[in-house]
Amino acid sequence: LCSGLLDNIARRATGGEVVGENGVVRRDAYISCSGSREPLYLSARCALYDRQWKNLPEYVCFESILMRTRAGKEVAIMDNVARVEPAWLPALAKGSPLLKFGKVAAAPTPDYDKATDEIVCYVESSYGEGGDGWALPPSRANMRRVLNAPNFKDGLGAQAGDNFVWFARKLLEGGVFEDLAPLAGEKLLNCEPREITLKKPKKQILNFVNRLKDLGVDTKEALKGVLAKD
């Protein structure tokens, strides 16, 4: 439902965003992702409606807007409304101009996903037209695609090639091949795997990471392919 109504997402107004004629802050109002500042409201007959604004969903999607008269004034009422979790939007709205990705989030840190064989990171994002949009929870994404995106710039929480850096760390921690885990635990390596992701790693670490870059290895499948050739 939400994926078909991406232009009709609304977020509950924050304090001071919507003020009535009598100066009362309307915390039960919603603002559309379209950039329009006209407040939207839930119908009292809507299943999501509650007199206590704290119990109203933060995000909703709606099918249409109906103009209704309340206390002698026309107000915009959302029709056919459903609750939306903000964490859904980065996945559902991929490719939409309403969705904007920012820097790689500091936490959670990148990790190796065994199921998809990829290094994943968490990216800050926002949704909606006008200004910076609404901040969304960091979304999980393939790190290589994030760093290779046309709008990515070094320094936005990561550097180009960091996918190889994190693959090297996860590889030596045993996250890719479990048989390698004892190497870190028994200190048979010249360095601790966590040192790989330091800002100024040792020369031997840089050589190892650069070799992975040269070979284009940031997945288990790619590494197995290189080893098979050797």
Side-chain angles (χ1 to χ4, degrees):
L1 178 63
C2 177
S3 62
L5 296 171
L6 293 174
D7 292 332
N8 291 355
I9 303 291
R11 186 203 58 169
R12 196 178 70 237
T14 55
E17 220 174 355
V18 177
V19 180
E21 292 180 353
N22 55 359
V24 176
V25 175
R26 298 300 303 264
R27 299 299 295 269
D28 61 339
Y30 284 80
I31 301 297
S32 170
C33 66
S34 66
S36 169
R37 303 308 299 173
E38 179 181 25
L40 309 176
Y41 296 90
L42 293 173
S43 167
R45 293 178 293 179
C46 176
L48 298 177
Y49 178 79
D50 195 295
R51 288 181 178 273
Q52 297 296 320
W53 65 265
K54 291 182 179 180
N55 296 329
L56 298 174
E58 183 182 8
Y59 285 79
V60 297
C61 63
F62 57 91
E63 185 178 27
S64 59
I65 298 294
L66 304 176
M67 301 306 296
R68 293 288 184 264
T69 301
R70 281 185 178 177
K73 182 182 176 182
E74 267 203 340
V75 295
I77 303 296
M78 296 177 288
D79 191 38
N80 290 334
V81 183
R83 181 190 299 268
V84 171
E85 293 297 331
W88 298 346
L89 294 174
L92 294 175
K94 282 182 180 178
S96 169
L98 294 172
L99 179 67
K100 305 174 187 69
F101 287 106
K103 65 180 182 181
V104 174
T109 57
D111 200 2
Y112 175 73
D113 188 320
K114 290 184 178 181
T116 57
D117 187 19
E118 62 183 354
I119 294 295
V120 294
C121 62
Y122 291 81
V123 185
E124 295 179 359
S125 58
S126 62
Y127 194 79
E129 293 184 4
D132 296 326
W134 309 323
L136 300 175
S139 57
R140 184 180 168 98
N142 178 290
M143 193 171 196
R144 184 201 311 156
R145 284 199 289 270
V146 170
L147 301 184
N148 291 339
N151 61 343
F152 178 79
K153 296 180 181 178
D154 280 355
L156 293 179
Q159 303 288 332
D162 274 0
N163 50 309
F164 298 104
V165 174
W166 280 96
F167 180 76
R169 173 172 170 171
K170 297 303 174 180
L171 175 66
L172 297 183
E173 285 178 340
V176 181
F177 295 99
E178 292 182 2
D179 292 344
L180 292 181
L183 291 179
E186 297 172 13
K187 299 186 182 297
L188 296 179
L189 299 171
N190 292 327
C191 67
E192 293 286 343
R194 61 180 178 79
E195 294 181 45
I196 295 174
T197 50
L198 295 177
K199 287 186 177 180
K200 294 183 178 180
K202 296 176 182 178
K203 184 177 180 180
Q204 64 265 36
I205 294 175
L206 287 174
N207 291 338
F208 177 50
V209 171
N210 286 333
R211 184 57 177 159
L212 291 177
K213 288 182 183 178
D214 293 340
L215 295 171
V217 172
D218 66 348
T219 67
K220 181 178 182 179
E221 193 63 29
L223 181 56
K224 289 169 66 176
V226 169
L227 295 177
K229 292 178 181 178
D230 294 342

